[in-house]
Amino acid sequence: ASVIERIKQSFNIWCNLIVPHMPRTARYTTGARIENHFLDLLEFIYQAYYAPIENKSELIVKSINKNDLIKYLLQIAWENKLLKETPYLELSEKLQEVGKILGGWKNNIEIKISTGNKNSRK
């Protein structure tokens, strides 16, 4: 699956398996904050996918940073017992995969830029 598809899957886990089981007060504070970062991540990855190669690297770096921030906020929420362990672990695993893909994508783009191969889409 593509990185966009994996993030969509992660967002679905967040929306369907985690948010409904969060304490109501956390849902509208911590939960909303995490959800907004997820939406930012989806947007950055989408933009990076369709951006000209010379703009991709910056958007991928933003995506990596956003993914890392989501993982950090999820960890804090879990440590404060706002999330159940099983869905938290499932989501964390997906976000780890996304991070690896984004890192590989960034390296690939930087190699293409440095070698002058700008014809490739990814």
Side-chain angles (χ1 to χ4, degrees):
S2 71
V3 69
I4 291 174
E5 196 56 41
R6 287 176 198 256
I7 281 298
K8 283 174 36 183
Q9 290 169 358
S10 299
F11 187 65
N12 289 340
I13 291 169
W14 170 255
C15 290
N16 298 314
L17 298 180
I18 294 179
V19 171
H21 303 289
M22 289 182 82
R24 186 172 302 250
T25 54
R27 204 178 300 167
Y28 300 109
T29 55
T30 308
R33 181 88 177 217
I34 292 169
E35 187 164 319
N36 286 333
H37 288 302
F38 258 117
L39 293 170
D40 289 344
L41 177 58
L42 281 162
E43 186 177 327
F44 289 149
I45 289 174
Y46 182 84
Q47 289 173 343
Y49 191 79
Y50 292 104
I53 195 161
E54 58 273 3
N55 299 343
K56 284 185 187 292
S57 190
E58 179 185 347
L59 289 163
I60 294 168
V61 168
K62 285 182 177 184
S63 299
I64 291 168
N65 292 337
K66 194 60 76 167
N67 191 59
D68 288 345
L69 180 59
I70 292 168
K71 290 188 301 188
Y72 178 67
L73 291 173
L74 286 171
Q75 179 184 351
I76 290 171
W78 178 72
E79 288 172 358
N80 285 283
K81 301 187 181 359
L82 304 177
L83 314 176
K84 296 199 183 306
E85 186 170 20
T86 302
Y88 163 72
L89 293 174
E90 183 180 350
L91 184 53
S92 295
E93 185 179 308
K94 290 252 185 243
L95 293 173
Q96 277 299 117
E97 292 173 13
V98 166
K100 288 178 186 177
I101 293 168
L102 288 171
W105 191 15
K106 178 181 170 285
N107 291 339
N108 191 17
I109 293 299
E110 289 174 351
I111 289 168
K112 286 180 181 176
I113 289 171
S114 69
T115 60
N117 181 4
K118 297 183 180 180
N119 294 331
S120 180
R121 196 81 194 134
K122 286 185 181 178

